[in-house]
Every structure is written in C-alpha cells, then in structure tokens.
Amino acid sequence: MPFIQCDLEVGLSDEKKRQLVERMTEVTHKAIGSAYGHINVVLREHASANLGEAGKPNRYLISKQST
C-alpha cells in the first residue's frame, strides 16, 4: 500500500491540489500496479519563508510561476 508525501509551498488552489493528488495516484498505479484504493497521498504545505532553492532561502517558488 503506497503512502506518498508531497511537500509544497502554500499557495496552490484546492483545484490544483486535487489535480496533483489524482495525477500522483494515477502515475503510481501505472508504475507499480497498486490498486487506486490502496494509494494514499498526503500534501504538506509550508510557508515560503521555510523553503529554499539552490541554496537560497525564501525563494517563493509558487509565486514565481506567475512571472
């Protein structure tokens, strides 16, 4: 029974989170054959100030997507 944890920056809409969970479940099912009902996905959201990218803190990863 796969248990997937995904850490991400706060800011995705509920619709985007729903799509992410559905896609992660689909990919896992196709990759290892687990039944959809046995695949668990947990999204853990973090404030931008708690994230870093390429050694730089406060990168605001999601907010940069719109630029």
Side-chain angles (χ1 to χ4, degrees):
M1 177 173 354
F3 190 90
I4 303 162
Q5 295 182 68
C6 179
D7 291 276
L8 59 145
E9 181 183 2
V10 171
L12 285 181
S13 67
D14 288 345
E15 176 62 20
K16 288 286 187 186
K17 287 186 270 188
R18 184 189 64 75
Q19 291 173 0
L20 179 60
V21 169
E22 288 178 356
R23 185 74 175 116
M24 291 174 83
T25 302
E26 178 183 328
V27 167
T28 302
H29 168 75
K30 289 181 179 178
I32 63 175
S34 288
Y36 284 93
H38 292 168
I39 301 169
N40 300 283
V41 178
V42 174
L43 303 179
R44 299 188 307 181
E45 297 181 286
H46 304 280
S48 299
N50 295 337
L51 300 174
E53 179 183 39
K56 304 289 184 185
N58 302 316
R59 291 304 296 249
Y60 301 98
L61 306 176
I62 289 174
S63 58
K64 290 174 78 176
Q65 290 180 9
S66 61
T67 58

